[in-house]
Amino acid sequence: MTSVQNNDQRLLDRILEDQHRKLAPEKGRDDFFTFFAADKALQDWDLDNDEIMDGIVDGAHDCGIDGIWTFVDERYITADAHQFLSSRAGKIELVILQAKNTSGYQETVIEKLHFHLPTLLDMSRDEEELVDHTNAKLLDRTRRFLHILEELASSFPHVRVKVIYASKAAETPHPNVKSKGDRLRRELAKITSDAAAEVEYLNAADLRERTARGAKAVAQLVFTETPMSTSLGEGYVCLARLDEYYRFITSDNEALRLELFESNVRDYAGSTAVNNAIGETLKSGTGEDFWWFNNGVTVVADAAQIAGKRIVIREPQIVNGLQTSHEIYHYFQDGGQHRDRSLLVKIVVAPESGTARDRIIRATNSQTQLPAGALRATESIQKDIEESLTHAGGYYYERRASYYRNLGFPLDRVVSMARLAKEFTALGDDEHTTGTPSARVYGPVPRPGPEGDRGSRGSVP
């Protein structure tokens, strides 16, 4: 058993060495391990590079906290995102990371978190007192969480705090570490009267497994009857029991897999008449099957293959049925049962090249009128931007979150859609490099210099 765990450590070191060299050779080993651990710890939320870096607070006066991120209904909240929050929310999550580039777990790490977190997460905290021994970024990120907690109080959301302690340990933590972690968990559960708290430990094997999981975008869907297909191209139509579809769209810790919806032209609309009707149908006890009253979902994939009672799907994208998927997710999160009811699922294997994918996306989303810019990532202008940045400046435009990071491209050459939009908006502002929120948090997007000189990161030639 010990030799296997030591092998995990050696393999993880090799993975870290390779990714450090490819992604961020300019970073120190400890700084890169913090980013690497954050990427793996936050895998279920599918953040881009800028969002991961936005939450990293490691440095002087960090109170033993390397990273902190706030999510509302599975979406990361940035500096300005709170302005667009719905007045109602089902869940608020705070994720706190401590990453140690060491081969074991230490009791002092938990003790330090136990000492600082209750004060940092107290709404009545004295900021003037805290500023002397707490770095500004950590103060801001904890303030962001407290502000959102207060803003959404009237919707009575579920509050969940998760502390993740990542290291290159070969084994699970010593019982003394776990005991102190349990005390920390009980303390954090007091943030609100109904808050839930969790302490998770990631060791070398866990980090290696999550690295492998992120490299393979493969999902399996269990069907109830043999799928139908035709000779005109590859694709299937099948019925999947509701609980099996729920497993398909959620991760191991039952978080909604947002990466499955990147190509969907709509976002979740919340409590609309249509969504309320879907929810009521799910809760109905009439004995009628769900798929009789629902159009189902459409999945576009690179490949699909039947294996027993499952369809193995590579690179799945749910391009129609996001509202239904969210309602099914919320139904089971609230303790719903499948009661032998099913959902209609169409799986279409379309070539990556050509226009077939975009035409499928447009056709399956034409039931209701959409605003002109709704297609976003699938629009030709987004692809033109991606191509132009690559050829003109050697930068990589992420139309799909984490795409280039998973391929191993250097982090300082990857530009997210949100970041480019912020920088473009700020172009006419005299305070472009110092005054805008995005410039303060991220620095300006690098631009190619004269005669092919790409310029240095964080400066405008």
Side-chain angles (χ1 to χ4, degrees):
M1 185 69 176
T2 302
S3 62
V4 172
Q5 292 171 324
N6 285 337
N7 284 345
D8 280 326
Q9 288 178 304
R10 294 188 184 100
L11 291 170
L12 177 62
D13 280 338
R14 180 55 187 266
I15 291 168
L16 283 165
E17 180 184 334
D18 290 345
Q19 294 205 6
H20 188 187
R21 184 179 66 254
K22 291 178 183 177
L23 297 177
E26 76 288 352
K27 284 183 178 291
R29 289 181 180 274
D30 289 345
D31 287 343
F32 181 74
F33 182 76
T34 297
F35 175 85
F36 176 87
D39 182 28
K40 306 315 168 194
L42 299 166
Q43 197 169 62
D44 291 331
W45 288 277
D46 196 32
L47 302 189
D48 62 35
N49 297 338
D50 294 331
E51 290 169 330
I52 292 173
M53 292 302 299
D54 185 49
I56 291 179
V57 297
D58 182 31
H61 304 300
D62 63 14
C63 299
I65 299 168
D66 288 332
I68 184 165
W69 297 264
T70 300
F71 301 87
V72 174
D73 291 337
E74 310 290 344
R75 285 167 172 76
Y76 176 59
I77 304 302
T78 56
D80 53 358
H82 71 275
Q83 301 175 36
F84 309 102
L85 282 176
S86 168
S87 58
R88 301 195 64 79
K91 180 166 57 175
I92 299 174
E93 295 171 282
L94 181 69
V95 179
I96 298 161
L97 172 72
Q98 174 55 263
K100 288 292 185 184
N101 190 18
T102 58
S103 58
Y105 295 101
Q106 303 167 358
E107 293 179 48
T108 54
V109 169
I110 302 294
E111 290 169 354
K112 196 170 184 179
L113 292 174
H114 198 171
F115 180 80
H116 289 288
L117 280 173
T119 303
L120 288 169
L121 302 179
D122 186 347
M123 286 183 172
S124 61
R125 69 189 196 181
D126 186 341
E127 299 227 354
E128 290 185 3
E129 181 179 322
L130 286 172
V131 75
D132 292 332
H133 55 80
T134 310
N135 74 46
K137 191 173 182 181
L138 175 58
L139 275 177
D140 178 75
R141 299 308 181 269
T142 50
R143 188 186 304 119
R144 185 184 298 175
F145 167 73
L146 294 173
H147 174 73
I148 289 167
L149 195 62
E150 188 172 8
E151 283 284 304
L152 299 176
S154 61
S155 61
F156 300 97
H158 298 293
V159 179
R160 177 171 170 250
V161 181
K162 185 172 188 177
V163 174
I164 301 174
Y165 184 1
S167 80
K168 297 191 296 185
E171 301 175 349
T172 57
H174 187 276
N176 290 349
V177 175
K178 285 188 173 181
S179 176
K180 292 189 176 183
D182 197 46
R183 285 177 52 204
L184 172 63
R185 177 190 60 78
R186 291 195 297 269
E187 186 67 32
L188 293 177
K190 298 176 184 176
I191 289 176
T192 66
S193 59
D194 55 353
E198 175 187 0
V199 178
E200 180 180 16
Y201 303 92
L202 299 180
N203 59 21
D206 298 322
L207 292 171
R208 195 169 72 85
E209 184 275 328
R210 292 195 181 200
T211 304
R213 189 200 312 170
K216 296 179 290 186
V218 177
Q220 299 184 30
L221 178 66
V222 177
F223 51 82
T224 56
E225 300 293 340
T226 303
M228 296 185 297
S229 62
T230 71
S231 59
L232 298 177
E234 188 178 357
Y236 302 96
V237 178
C238 67
L239 291 175
R241 207 170 65 185
L242 290 176
D243 61 326
E244 295 294 350
Y245 183 73
Y246 172 76
R247 293 188 183 95
F248 175 70
I249 61 174
T250 54
S251 59
D252 291 341
N253 69 351
E254 297 192 39
L256 187 63
R257 295 181 58 192
L258 296 178
E259 74 273 12
L260 294 177
F261 304 96
E262 288 172 11
S263 294
N264 201 290
V265 301
R266 295 176 177 85
D267 199 354
Y268 180 52
S271 183
T272 64
V274 172
N275 287 347
N276 290 341
I278 296 173
E280 289 303 317
T281 303
L282 287 166
K283 297 171 187 174
S284 171
T286 61
E288 298 167 316
D289 210 335
F290 179 75
W291 74 273
W292 300 353
F293 306 96
N294 187 275
N295 291 331
V297 301
T298 301
V299 180
V300 173
D302 285 355
Q305 183 176 356
I306 295 178
K309 293 288 288 183
R310 302 170 183 268
I311 299 181
V312 181
I313 308 168
R314 182 158 58 87
E315 296 288 350
Q317 281 291 300
I318 299 171
V319 299
N320 184 256
L322 180 144
Q323 309 300 327
T324 295
S325 299
H326 274 260
E327 291 300 325
I328 291 173
Y329 172 75
H330 292 311
Y331 172 70
F332 280 100
Q333 284 279 299
D334 291 337
Q337 302 295 319
H338 63 81
R339 299 200 298 274
D340 287 325
R341 294 175 299 166
S342 300
L343 175 71
L344 180 67
V345 181
K346 294 184 289 184
I347 302 166
V348 182
V349 178
E352 183 67 37
S353 58
T355 62
R357 282 173 174 262
D358 286 348
R359 287 190 288 115
I360 292 168
I361 292 170
R362 291 176 185 273
T364 56
N365 284 278
S366 61
Q367 296 94 335
T368 57
Q369 187 175 2
L370 290 171
L375 290 175
R376 295 180 182 173
T378 65
E379 285 184 330
S380 59
I381 189 172
Q382 302 293 343
K383 298 173 184 177
D384 291 342
I385 292 171
E386 182 178 23
E387 183 177 349
S388 296
L389 282 177
T390 301
H391 291 300
Y395 300 104
Y396 304 97
Y397 180 54
E398 280 201 323
R399 295 186 294 114
R400 296 180 180 180
S402 306
Y403 178 76
Y404 285 109
R405 185 170 75 241
N406 288 340
L407 292 178
F409 285 79
L411 299 180
D412 64 352
R413 295 290 176 185
V414 177
V415 180
S416 65
M417 289 181 70
R419 181 176 174 186
L420 185 66
K422 288 180 179 180
E423 297 295 342
F424 181 79
T425 303
L427 275 176
D429 194 330
D430 291 336
E431 297 179 17
H432 173 58
T433 58
T434 58
T436 64
S438 58
R440 287 196 297 270
V441 175
Y442 308 126
V445 174
R447 292 176 177 76
E451 299 180 5
D453 177 17
R454 292 174 178 170
S456 61
R457 179 171 173 82
S459 62
V460 181

